[in-house]
Amino acid sequence: MKSDLLRFADWTDPVPPAEREVVSITEETDAARPPLLFVPGLGHGAWAFAEHWLPAAAARGFAAHALTPRPGSDLRVQVHDVVQVAASLPRQTVLIGHGAGALVVAYAMGRYPAKAAVLAAPVMDGWPTLGAALRANPFGTLPAMVGGRLRLSRKQLFSPELPEERARELLGRIDARPRRELVTHDPAPRPVGGPPVLVVGSPDDRVVPRTSLDRTATRYGGAPLLFPGMGHDLMLDVAWAEPIEAVLDWLGKELKS
Amino acid sequence: MRLGFWQYRRVPDTPDIVDRKDVADRHDAVCVIGAGASGLAAIKNLREHGFEVDCYERETSVGGAWNWRHDRSPVYAGTHLISSRPLTEFPDFPMPDSWPDYPDHQRVLSYLERYSRHFNLESDVWFGTEVVSVVPVGDGRWDVTTQSTGGGSSRVQRYAGVVVANGHNWAPLKPKIPGEFSGQLIHSAKFKDPAQLRKRKVLVIGGGNTGCDIAVEAAQQASTVWHSTRRGYWYAPKYVLGHPADQVNDRMLKLGLPLRLRQWIYRRTLALTTGDLTRYGLPAPDHRPYESHPIVNSQLPYYLGHGRIQPVPDVTEFDGASAVLADGRRIEPELVITATGYRPRFEFLAPELLDIGENGRPDLHLHTFARQHPTLAVVGLVQADFGLFPLAHWQSVAVARWMRLRVTDPERATAVQQKESTRPIASWSRRRVVPTSRHWFEVDHADYLRAVEGLLREMEPSK
């Protein structure tokens, strides 16, 4: 069994430091509320949250931060970066991961006692996700399996209501280079400190199958909060306001109790 | 050697204590004594296991030994970590990765202050409050008497558990050297500022990390430096092959190399880096590598080689202005600094509660759990080839999980207790060490953490 206590990888080969891109909105936020740290998934950067979710969270009084993953980094490095940024914030932080970023958050929860965590459209179990991707977008997915770029399609990420031009613009910003470990990784560790965890997603997500959403939510002792009609990119799709408002409502309730 | 772990000896309820009206009952709350690194970790981990916590701190701020403002802090201006950053940080709250390999004491204090603020630990700390006594009142409960530091009226509160985190580097252990010394004689605890050394003739007594660091500091400031050590040690450099030495050492542990092979590699590495120190007049080590607390100092051999530090043997007596050495020589220092370490002290506890022997050594399971009082534990009373914070963290996780299990599942707690009583001491405590009080709590970090992890797994919440 892998040891939680003997962390030889960190002791003998520490992750080297790097400049991390963190986009933050902290003006006029409530110091009594915990900071939120958004972690984007494959091919996305902090920009994906800076569009809508960061301002929406700040408007409700939460200091909001989003981290861009280091280019070319593996899961261990991404987890390291999330924990580094979380620990650098003044208060115990809420981690919010989207897509493969939710997997990073799930791992980070094993290393840092988050105040709470939200897994949005989480890409948690690799094989079902790979199957779904091959069904929804075979020609975009196959090259990635042999080390090429993953070309995500419009119907995987967005609902049909998103204007064509906007969808094209967003797809142009996404540069997804998945690593093998996205499929082959070990199950995420047990979270330290027992934080409340919320799973949100869409039954119409063409990246994360509904069964996978249920499985993830069960693992963290709940049921997924669903937003029918939305694509995988909950924070960019036309109805982006609904999931973030629901997440902030949930946070408000959890933090009070 | 005692194997029994938590052999229950029920303390009879003394009615005059139990029925006291002035005792405020804190019910299931746990009392933590001290808000240094270990105490802070204890607050955090007890809270995460659902306990209410009251922490008492005699000073007015957190940081314990690492806070130079505190009376009892042993920190001096040049203090820095001996173990490197990744082996010293709390496992769930890393130091910034942009920090140097060996941060200094100001960074370490700022780290502890940030840890405390980040998890809002200070809200459970009663500052300026000393614990005067801790008395068992039966049923695993404790009456804790506190009072304002330096006097004032006292107050008694009853707790479901007590975690002692009062540190073990504050009560100076002073050597008994016969004779009168007419110069200035201080313990390293009172050494704060390199200006104390400037242009003086200085004798530093003690070959531990502090003694070596002060000798090096003196080599840069003083006019003459003598360094007196009783025995030879293995002086490891801070860097080997371009990496912090402890990180390289852990590579050998990661590969699972046997102790004998590691000892051989250690000797070879030292021969190739530090070289043979007997050439400068230091005694050869009288023990194998890994049999004493590691001394890590790259600069000591450098200043020995430059003649700035003159190694001398034990000081046998003082005679007016001079110190008489074991080889009969006499030297005339103006300032003598005894870097002879510290003793653990628990004035607020009756010695038998921690099974403290006549020599002053507590006998605790995993250096943590009182053997006969399942709701009494000590956190941070351990010495390793590793940072203390991670060890104190995991100790306090184990304590919190144990105290929780006792409440939620007493049957399983009893089973855990029985299983633990069969854990051989040699599996977690380093047995082959130089037999001095300095090595009372010496452990090998990998063996020790394996043992703590074993205990944690037994207490894992069932899914």
Side-chain angles (χ1 to χ4, degrees):
Chain A
M1 208 195 279
K2 246 184 101 190
S3 174
D4 276 345
L5 276 63
L6 295 158
R7 300 182 177 178
F8 283 118
D10 293 354
W11 299 341
T12 61
D13 183 23
V15 174
E19 287 278 328
R20 286 177 279 264
E21 190 200 32
V22 179
V23 178
S24 303
I25 305 182
T26 52
E27 288 88 39
E28 291 179 34
T29 53
D30 181 356
R33 300 198 148 181
L36 313 184
L37 176 58
F38 292 91
V39 182
L42 207 58
H44 296 66
W47 60 266
F49 294 111
E51 298 250 342
H52 305 303
W53 280 18
L54 283 192
R60 299 264 299 257
F62 290 93
H65 310 264
L67 166 71
T68 300
R70 266 189 226 197
S73 53
D74 61 12
L75 188 56
R76 176 181 172 228
V77 172
Q78 291 186 30
V79 170
H80 167 89
D81 282 344
V82 167
V83 175
Q84 279 282 322
V85 174
S88 76
L89 298 175
R91 301 288 297 277
Q92 210 174 350
T93 304
V94 177
L95 301 177
I96 303 175
H98 173 261
L103 177 68
V104 177
V105 164
Y107 266 83
M109 280 195 283
R111 285 303 184 93
Y112 167 78
K115 188 85 186 167
V118 178
L119 308 176
V123 177
M124 294 286 283
D125 25 33
W127 293 107
T129 312
L130 180 62
L134 284 169
R135 274 195 304 282
N137 179 14
F139 298 109
T141 308
L142 276 169
M145 294 181 68
V146 290
R149 206 184 132 190
L150 175 69
R151 289 160 55 111
L152 292 159
S153 74
R154 184 196 156 145
K155 66 175 181 184
Q156 279 176 297
L157 300 186
F158 309 113
S159 64
E161 288 82 50
L162 192 76
E164 176 66 36
E165 204 174 315
R166 169 87 173 133
R168 211 168 322 126
E169 179 213 325
L170 290 172
L171 284 171
R173 296 187 75 169
I174 293 167
D175 179 23
R177 293 173 193 280
R179 304 174 74 96
R180 180 179 291 270
E181 62 184 347
L182 189 58
V183 175
T184 58
H185 64 82
D186 292 330
R190 186 200 291 266
V192 291
V197 179
L198 176 69
V199 175
V200 297
S202 163
D204 303 305
D205 185 338
R206 307 283 288 269
V207 174
V208 181
R210 173 68 204 270
T211 48
S212 179
L213 270 183
D214 288 339
R215 204 161 31 236
T216 304
T218 308
R219 195 167 164 229
Y220 291 97
L225 198 56
L226 296 173
F227 298 88
M230 295 189 76
H232 178 66
D233 272 5
L234 299 168
M235 66 287 189
L236 292 169
D237 212 343
V238 267
W240 60 264
E242 289 171 33
I244 188 66
E245 294 301 333
V247 161
L248 296 171
D249 288 344
W250 173 80
L251 267 182
K253 218 166 62 210
E254 281 297 329
L255 297 174
K256 217 180 298 154
S257 58
Chain B
M1 192 163 75
R2 292 265 292 287
L3 274 175
F5 174 42
W6 303 326
Q7 303 127 327
Y8 275 113
R9 182 183 59 187
R10 280 189 73 103
V11 181
D13 293 356
T14 9
D16 59 321
I17 297 182
V18 175
D19 297 337
R20 271 163 65 168
K21 294 277 183 294
D22 54 340
V23 177
D25 198 329
R26 295 285 287 114
H27 303 282
D28 299 330
V30 175
C31 169
V32 173
I33 302 173
S38 303
L40 292 173
I43 302 173
K44 182 185 146 293
N45 290 311
L46 283 163
R47 253 201 220 162
E48 281 179 8
H49 286 77
F51 287 103
E52 257 190 79
V53 181
D54 285 343
C55 172
Y56 297 105
E57 168 57 52
R58 64 188 298 279
E59 295 282 354
T60 51
S61 46
V62 300
W66 286 99
N67 196 328
W68 53 272
R69 296 178 193 90
H70 295 173
D71 293 349
R72 290 172 168 183
S73 168
V75 159
Y76 57 91
T79 310
H80 42 251
L81 291 184
I82 300 291
S83 51
S84 72
R85 176 170 49 77
L87 284 74
T88 308
E89 63 200 10
F90 286 117
D92 59 352
F93 190 77
M95 294 186 192
D97 59 6
S98 54
W99 276 12
D101 292 327
Y102 296 101
D104 64 4
H105 69 93
Q106 292 183 4
R107 278 202 168 97
V108 175
L109 174 60
S110 76
Y111 170 69
L112 294 176
E113 288 170 343
R114 241 166 19 82
Y115 178 76
S116 172
R117 261 200 311 276
H118 191 87
F119 296 108
N120 190 26
L121 303 177
E122 277 167 46
S123 64
D124 286 344
V125 182
W126 299 82
F127 288 107
T129 309
E130 246 173 339
V131 171
V132 184
S133 82
V134 173
V135 180
V137 288
D139 258 3
R141 299 173 63 71
W142 301 87
D143 274 0
V144 177
T145 310
T146 55
Q147 83 184 163
S148 296
T149 306
S153 59
S154 62
R155 176 161 190 220
V156 186
Q157 286 170 102
R158 187 159 296 168
Y159 291 94
V162 171
V163 177
V164 179
N166 66 335
H168 59 278
N169 287 327
W170 55 267
L173 178 62
K174 294 175 182 164
K176 292 183 187 72
I177 301 170
E180 286 290 317
F181 180 57
S182 58
Q184 192 188 2
L185 171 67
I186 60 170
H187 187 271
S188 60
K190 291 281 165 256
F191 171 67
K192 296 287 154 192
D193 185 347
Q196 290 168 269
L197 307 164
R198 208 156 287 157
K199 301 220 165 44
R200 300 175 82 183
K201 292 189 278 180
V202 179
L203 166 64
V204 181
I205 300 177
N209 283 301
T210 305
C212 292
D213 281 348
I214 295 175
V216 164
E217 195 98 32
Q220 298 162 0
Q221 306 287 345
S223 58
T224 309
V225 186
W226 296 280
H227 187 200
S228 159
T229 50
R230 185 165 293 172
R231 56 164 54 82
Y233 284 104
W234 299 94
Y235 296 94
K238 277 202 141 163
Y239 286 90
V240 175
L241 307 168
H243 295 277
D246 52 1
Q247 298 180 16
V248 176
N249 181 53
D250 271 32
R251 253 168 232 238
M252 296 199 284
L253 289 173
K254 185 184 182 181
L255 295 172
L257 303 189
L259 179 63
R260 281 305 164 96
L261 182 55
R262 282 188 288 132
Q263 286 174 329
W264 182 82
I265 295 173
Y266 199 105
R267 284 173 196 267
R268 297 309 308 152
T269 309
L270 254 54
L272 289 168
T273 50
T274 310
D276 177 13
L277 293 178
T278 58
R279 214 157 64 80
Y280 307 114
L282 282 178
D286 58 359
H287 54 279
R288 295 197 197 96
Y290 299 111
E291 289 180 1
S292 61
H293 189 73
I295 313 289
V296 190
N297 197 312
S298 295
Q299 288 171 291
L300 188 78
Y302 177 91
Y303 287 112
L304 286 168
H306 286 67
R308 290 289 298 133
I309 298 176
Q310 302 172 39
V312 293
D314 224 7
V315 176
T316 49
E317 70 172 298
F318 288 123
D319 181 11
S322 51
V324 183
L325 304 174
D327 58 5
R329 269 188 298 160
R330 284 168 168 265
I331 53 174
E332 296 199 348
E334 293 161 274
L335 169 66
V336 176
I337 301 179
T338 57
T340 40
Y342 300 84
R343 269 292 170 89
R345 275 179 71 181
F346 309 93
E347 305 122 311
F348 46 82
L349 281 173
E352 63 270 19
L353 297 174
L354 297 179
D355 288 295
I356 295 178
E358 269 179 28
N359 55 4
R361 174 187 186 161
D363 176 29
L364 304 166
H365 181 61
L366 295 172
H367 292 314
T368 306
F369 296 94
R371 294 188 184 276
Q372 299 174 37
H373 296 272
T375 52
L376 176 65
V378 180
V379 168
L381 184 61
V382 65
Q383 299 256 358
D385 44 351
F386 203 67
L388 178 65
F389 306 166
L391 301 178
H393 169 86
W394 292 116
Q395 287 178 330
S396 59
V397 172
V399 169
R401 205 177 274 184
W402 161 250
M403 288 188 175
R404 179 49 59 210
L405 189 69
R406 269 191 91 240
V407 178
T408 56
D409 194 346
E411 253 173 63
R412 233 177 103 205
T414 311
V416 168
Q417 192 180 324
Q418 272 162 6
K419 184 122 187 267
E420 276 305 294
S421 68
T422 63
R423 189 186 289 284
I425 289 180
S427 71
W428 54 268
S429 170
R430 200 171 255 178
R431 306 309 288 174
R432 279 193 66 103
V433 287
V434 177
T436 60
S437 61
R438 178 172 170 202
H439 296 102
W440 279 353
F441 312 109
E442 192 69 21
V443 298
D444 170 288
H445 68 279
D447 289 344
Y448 184 75
L449 288 174
R450 265 186 212 109
V452 174
E453 182 158 45
L455 172 58
L456 286 173
R457 287 223 169 109
E458 287 163 34
M459 301 190 290
E460 195 109 306
S462 44
K463 268 198 164 178

